[in-house]
Amino acid sequence: MFLLKLHDLIKHNYGNGLYSKDYSYRSNNSNSLSDFNKGKFQAQTDYQSGKAFKHYPKLLFEFLNFVFLRKMQEIVNFIDIVGEIPVVLTTGGIALTCKL
């Protein structure tokens, strides 16, 4: 019953021109990189500009990748790449280089 009322409300509002905006998405970016390569490039850019990295729970994503039949492989690969980038941590004027 609720869905019928919702349908009628939307139909009424649409008929009155409340949804007249163009909500279609058009990207002006002709970049054909995969999501993985975009993320890798962003991680490298963040590293070069000195931004902090987030910690990604690798074991969780490896488990989910296994459960969902390797549908999350790009995420696991991204975590592997980010983990290979050395990070410089400074504490009290001492610089430490480590892998995440």
Side-chain angles (χ1 to χ4, degrees):
M1 193 63 160
F2 172 74
L3 290 177
L4 291 175
K5 288 182 181 181
L6 179 63
H7 174 267
D8 291 341
L9 175 67
I10 293 172
K11 184 176 179 181
H12 174 75
N13 290 341
Y14 181 79
N16 290 331
L18 294 177
Y19 305 126
S20 62
K21 293 183 181 178
D22 180 15
Y23 292 103
S24 62
Y25 175 75
R26 291 179 195 89
S27 175
N28 293 331
N29 187 358
S30 62
N31 192 345
S32 63
L33 293 175
S34 69
D35 289 341
F36 172 77
N37 286 328
K38 287 178 187 176
K40 179 180 171 183
F41 177 75
Q42 184 64 48
Q44 290 170 340
T45 303
D46 288 348
Y47 170 70
Q48 291 169 355
S49 65
K51 292 184 180 175
F53 284 101
K54 293 182 179 178
H55 173 70
Y56 297 99
K58 182 178 179 182
L59 288 177
L60 173 65
F61 283 107
E62 285 181 343
F63 174 73
L64 292 173
N65 190 36
F66 174 76
V67 169
F68 292 113
L69 304 174
R70 299 179 57 87
K71 301 268 184 190
M72 302 182 80
Q73 190 61 46
E74 274 191 311
I75 296 172
V76 172
N77 291 345
F78 175 76
I79 294 171
D80 288 338
I81 294 296
V82 170
E84 292 175 4
I85 299 173
V87 177
V88 177
L89 303 173
T90 57
T91 56
I94 301 171
L96 305 170
T97 304
C98 64
K99 280 185 153 181
L100 291 177

